[in-house]
Amino acid sequence: MVAPDPVDARLLAMLADSGRAAVHEIAQRLGMDPREAAMRLITLSGSGLPLLVGVECDPNGIRRALANAAAYGNYQGPPPSGAYAVHQSGPHHVSGPHPVAPPQPQPGPQSQPFPVQQQPPPNPWGPPQSAGWVRADQPQPRPMSRTGKVGTTLEADSLEGARLSIQLVEVVDPADFLFTAAGYKLAEGERAVVVHTEVTNASQVPFTSLPDMYLVLVTRTGETVTKAPVSLSSRPAHKLGVQPGETAGGHTVFVLPDTTDLTQVRWSVRPEVDVNTLVWTVED
C-alpha cells in the first residue's frame, strides 16, 4: 500500500480513535469538506485497508421524500455536475440534415409589458439540512425551548436530524468525594464537578455521537470548562450513540480551580455555539 499523505493520515488516525463515525463528523472535527473526506475514505478503502465506507438511511423517510417530490412533477434526478450542463427540452429525433428555413420578415418593435417575476416552486425535499423531509407548504415544527434550569428537559436536533430531548438531571458541585473515591487525586486548589444528563432520541434517526462530547461548564466570567478525560465507577459515563426511541444517561466529570464560580451548563452538537445549543442556569 502507498503511504498516505498527511490529510489521509489524519483521517485514518481520527477513524482509528473512534472505530466508527459518520463521515460528516470526521470532516467537521478535521475542518474538511465532507465531500472531500468521503472521497478520500472511499479511495483508502479501495487501497486494501480494513476500512468500510457505508451509508445509512431511514427507508420509510426516503420513500416519503420521493412521494413528496413526485407531487411536484416527475423526479429526474440531480442536475448534471460536469462543466457543461445538458439542456433537456423534450425528445429529439434525428432523421438527416436539418432543412434550412427561408428567412422570415422581422416585425417592428412592439411595446411589451414588464415580465412578471415568477416565484420559485417550493422545494419538494423540505428545508435544507432537515431530516423531517417535510414539504415546504407543510407547517414547520414548533419552536423549541433552548434555556432552562437544573431538572429541565430541553430539545435539540442532532447533525443527522435526530430529535433529542436532553434533561439536566443533577449538578454535583463539589464532587471531590466522588472523584477521590474512584482513585483519582485532585491537585491543591482544584475541585471536581459531576454533571448528570439523560438523552432521549424521540425520532427514527439514530444519534451516533457521544452525548456529552461538547458539554461544557460556563463560568461567571464567560469562560468555558471542558470535561475531564476520566470516568467514575459510581457514576457511569455516557456511551456512544442513542438509538431511536431509547433514553441514555451518563455522567460527565469536570476539574476546575476551586475558586471558579459556575453559572451555566451548556450542551451543543458542534464545538461552537449554534441554534441547537442548550443552556441550563446553575443557581448558587
Side-chain angles (χ1 to χ4, degrees), residues 198-218:
E198 288 188 352
V199 180
T200 299
N201 186 348
S203 67
Q204 298 300 315
V205 180
F207 177 50
T208 59
S209 301
L210 194 64
D212 64 345
M213 178 176 295
Y214 302 117
L215 185 72
V216 299
L217 303 180
V218 183

Side-chain angles (χ1 to χ4, degrees), residues 172-184 186 192 194 232 234-235:
V172 183
D173 183 15
D176 299 358
F177 65 101
L178 295 174
F179 194 82
T180 55
Y184 301 106
L186 290 167
V194 174
L232 310 180
S234 61
R235 299 293 190 275

Side-chain angles (χ1 to χ4, degrees), residues 75-109:
Y75 175 63
Q76 298 182 2
S81 57
Y84 300 96
V86 178
H87 176 69
Q88 296 181 351
S89 60
H92 297 271
H93 301 279
V94 180
S95 58
H98 294 284
V100 179
Q104 300 293 328
Q106 299 296 324

Side-chain angles (χ1 to χ4, degrees), residues 52-90:
L52 177 64
V53 181
V55 64
E56 186 176 357
C57 76
D58 174 11
N60 292 330
I62 294 296
R63 294 188 185 98
R64 286 194 299 270
L66 289 171
N68 289 339
Y72 290 92
N74 294 328
Y75 175 63
Q76 298 182 2
S81 57
Y84 300 96
V86 178
H87 176 69
Q88 296 181 351
S89 60

